[in-house]
């Protein structure tokens, strides 16, 4: 793949992240220019895999798309990889930055759950899904930025990424319910006597509210654990972890007693999100 093609691929990834994941796009702008394009490649791959359910008619073509990505990472994609701008940029990023392919494969495996309407069995499964889809891509981003081997950074990213994913899944509950999906763990639902029918009908029953409250507490716990590490992380890793700074305002909004999950959109205005990211980039302790 020639240099011009590589540049076009990275530019495609940058535009994709700008349009589809504005918070990670803005956070990446705080990274050194030399590494920025590799962050865009990682986050564009994340978007491509995350949105597969949205662009396929049923699970089988979704499984085929996920298998295509597995083959690409295994080096079996041949010329097709070079013609796919996200795959081309990702493969070069993996090679240039000496990244492990296993977290990318774990992400693909976790996203298989998205293709079906099966229940999330337990809190442990829920956290594993959040780790694979949020913490591990974030960890790869810290590797790109030169923080490989820093245990404090790894622990912070693990907990912070889970908190970020839990918060996002709670915010997106009405959207997921509209297409027949429930990410809330079955064991928590059962413990509080919450019914799947309430979610599908948009009924914020006391039982469902109790489930959401327990999962918000879980997100707060992971955010607190991340906060214990923030003072010791490698400074160069900060641009990769900046989105975690948005967890607190989202959780605070959902914690309000008058918040209605099926009626109120849990939105932090973009100007405030940009200010939060800028403030956290200036002083890393503001991330958590």
């Amino acid at each position: 793949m020639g240099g011009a093609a590589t540049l076009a691929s990275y530019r495609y990834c940058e535009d994709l992240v700008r349009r589809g994941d504005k918070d990670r796009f803005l956070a990446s702008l705080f990274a050194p220019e030399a590494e920025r394009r590799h962050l865009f490649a990682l986050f564009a791959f994340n978007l491509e895999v995350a949105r597969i359910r949205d662009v396929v008619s049923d699970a089988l073509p979704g499984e085929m798309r996920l298998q295509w990505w597995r083959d690409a990472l295994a080096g079996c994609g041949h010329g097709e990889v070079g013609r796919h701008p996200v795959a081309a940029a990702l493969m070069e990023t993996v090679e240039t930055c000496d990244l492990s392919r296993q977290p990318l494969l774990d992400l693909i495996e976790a996203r298989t759950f998205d293709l079906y309407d099966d229940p999330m069995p337990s809190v442990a499964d829920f956290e594993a899904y959040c780790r694979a889809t949020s913490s591990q891509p974030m960890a790869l981003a810290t590797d790109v930025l030169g923080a490989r081997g820093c245990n404090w950074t790894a622990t912070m990213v693990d907990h912070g990424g889970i908190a970020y994913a839990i918060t996002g899944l709670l915010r997106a509950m009405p959207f997921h319910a509209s297409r027949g999906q429930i990410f809330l763990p079955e064991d928590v639902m059962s413990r509080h006597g919450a019914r799947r029918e309430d979610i599908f009908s948009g009924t914020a029953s006391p039982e469902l509210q109790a489930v959401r409250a327990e999962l918000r507490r879980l997100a707060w716990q992971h955010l607190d654990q991340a906060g214990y590490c923030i003072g010791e992380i490698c400074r160069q890793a900060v641009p990769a972890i900046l989105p975690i700074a948005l967890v607190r305002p989202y959780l605070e909004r959902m914690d309000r007693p008058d918040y209605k999950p099926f009626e109120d959109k849990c939105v932090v205005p973009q100007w405030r999100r940009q200010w939060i990211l800028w403030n956290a980039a200036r002083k890393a302790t503001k991330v958590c």
Side-chain angles (χ1 to χ4, degrees):
M1 183 173 55
T6 301
L7 181 59
S9 297
Y10 282 118
R11 284 177 174 169
Y12 179 92
C13 291
E14 179 179 351
D15 185 61
L16 183 63
V17 177
R18 181 191 292 111
R19 290 183 286 109
D21 194 345
K22 194 62 173 287
D23 294 334
R24 281 196 177 95
F25 171 78
L26 292 171
S28 299
L29 296 180
F30 291 98
E33 186 175 359
E35 284 82 36
R36 205 176 294 158
R37 63 179 182 170
H38 298 307
L39 297 180
F40 290 141
L42 283 174
F43 299 146
F45 164 73
N46 185 52
L47 273 174
E48 284 282 291
V49 176
R51 69 182 185 180
I52 285 178
R53 171 154 179 161
D54 298 328
V55 299
V56 297
S57 56
D58 55 61
L60 181 57
E63 290 274 16
M64 294 173 64
R65 289 188 181 222
L66 291 177
Q67 187 58 48
W68 187 92
W69 281 107
R70 292 188 188 96
D71 292 343
L73 287 166
C76 304
H78 307 298
E80 294 180 9
V81 174
R83 291 192 294 271
H84 191 296
V86 177
L90 179 67
M91 293 303 103
E92 182 166 296
T93 289
V94 168
E95 294 296 331
T96 301
C97 302
D98 190 26
L99 300 181
S100 169
R101 286 172 167 79
Q102 192 57 52
L104 301 172
L105 293 169
D106 292 343
L107 171 60
I108 292 170
E109 190 63 30
R111 287 296 182 185
T112 304
F113 179 86
D114 297 5
L115 302 179
Y116 300 91
D117 298 332
D118 298 334
M120 182 71 72
S122 68
V123 169
D125 294 303
F126 185 59
E127 289 178 301
Y129 176 90
C130 292
R131 179 174 288 110
T133 59
S134 181
S135 301
Q136 291 191 5
M138 198 176 291
L140 287 174
T142 66
D143 288 350
V144 167
L145 295 173
R148 194 193 314 267
C150 176
N151 291 335
W152 285 105
T153 301
T155 302
M156 190 273 170
V157 164
D158 185 55
H159 288 290
I162 291 174
Y164 184 81
I166 292 174
T167 303
L169 290 170
L170 288 174
R171 291 175 59 221
M173 186 185 72
F175 169 72
H176 292 143
S178 71
R179 62 183 191 181
Q181 266 187 311
I182 297 177
F183 281 85
L184 308 185
E186 282 283 283
D187 58 352
V188 181
M189 294 275 289
S190 177
R191 182 160 57 249
H192 292 285
R195 303 185 311 156
R196 294 169 61 89
E197 293 78 8
D198 288 341
I199 299 176
F200 292 137
S201 66
T203 303
S205 66
E207 294 82 6
L208 178 58
Q209 293 291 63
V211 171
R212 289 177 56 86
E214 180 173 334
L215 295 177
R216 290 198 305 275
R217 289 194 297 272
L218 181 63
W220 279 116
Q221 290 166 11
H222 280 290
L223 189 64
D224 288 344
Q225 290 293 322
Y228 295 146
C229 307
I230 190 66
E232 305 295 334
I233 68 167
C234 298
R235 176 67 194 181
Q236 62 264 41
V238 169
I241 65 172
L242 285 179
I244 298 171
L246 299 172
V247 171
R248 183 175 299 275
Y250 284 130
L251 286 178
E252 288 175 343
R253 188 170 183 84
M254 287 189 286
D255 275 346
R256 287 166 43 177
D258 61 341
Y259 179 75
K260 299 178 176 62
F262 294 105
E263 300 175 30
D264 302 335
K265 291 186 176 181
C266 185
V267 176
V268 175
Q270 184 175 326
W271 67 265
R272 190 179 172 211
R273 298 201 312 272
Q274 290 182 215
W275 182 86
I276 290 170
L277 293 171
W278 174 82
N279 198 35
R282 185 176 60 88
K283 190 174 183 181
T285 53
K286 298 289 186 180
V287 170
C288 297

